[in-house]
Amino acid sequence: MLRRIALALSASLLAGVASAATLPSNLMLPEPERAARGYVESWVFNIELTGDELNGMEACRKILAERGFAPTLSKTATTAAPSLHFKIVGHKAYAQASTEADDTLAALQQAKCSGTLSWTVSAKAARP
């Protein structure tokens, strides 16, 4: 459980600081000691895009849909922030480390959609 939280936090923090240096597949590598004991993990790659204009985010929603992330759209507004905000969230599970996750992230960054892009990788126990 602690490792899962650490992976998600490190990915979130590193995404803003050095997104080019840390790739999702780097976080999906098993720890050698745990793997030697037969512990198996799978991975969930979560992507979130938030912004003020839905039209500027549509290309990224399409990329996520094409790559199997099943993106969902939510709209929010509050009394404190009455302007409309949009959020597109998608996730995909991987049985092992995959550069497909890296390719998806690169495609989203190249699309230069409006809004803020964030991502996390979390580990979960898998059946051996």
Side-chain angles (χ1 to χ4, degrees):
M1 174 76 169
L2 181 59
R3 184 165 184 264
R4 180 180 308 155
I5 293 169
L7 282 173
L9 289 175
S10 65
S12 295
L13 294 173
L14 292 171
V17 176
S19 60
T22 302
L23 298 173
S25 64
N26 292 342
L27 297 173
M28 293 179 182
L29 298 174
E31 290 182 25
E33 292 175 8
R34 292 170 62 130
R37 292 191 313 253
Y39 187 80
V40 179
E41 294 175 308
S42 62
W43 310 95
V44 178
F45 182 37
N46 298 293
I47 295 178
E48 183 175 296
L49 183 66
T50 57
D52 297 332
E53 297 179 25
L54 181 59
N55 290 342
M57 298 166 58
E58 185 60 26
C60 285
R61 187 204 60 78
K62 185 176 178 183
I63 290 169
L64 289 174
E66 289 171 348
R67 294 172 185 252
F69 279 78
T72 58
L73 170 67
S74 61
K75 300 180 242 181
T76 59
T78 64
T79 305
S83 62
L84 194 57
H85 295 325
F86 299 94
K87 182 189 300 185
I88 296 173
V89 178
H91 64 275
K92 188 170 182 179
Y94 294 92
Q96 60 189 18
S98 174
T99 57
E100 179 186 303
D102 303 340
D103 296 341
T104 300
L105 184 60
L108 292 172
Q109 291 170 334
Q110 289 174 359
K112 297 182 181 177
C113 298
S114 66
T116 303
L117 175 67
S118 61
W119 59 272
T120 60
V121 171
S122 56
K124 65 179 185 175
R127 295 184 181 153

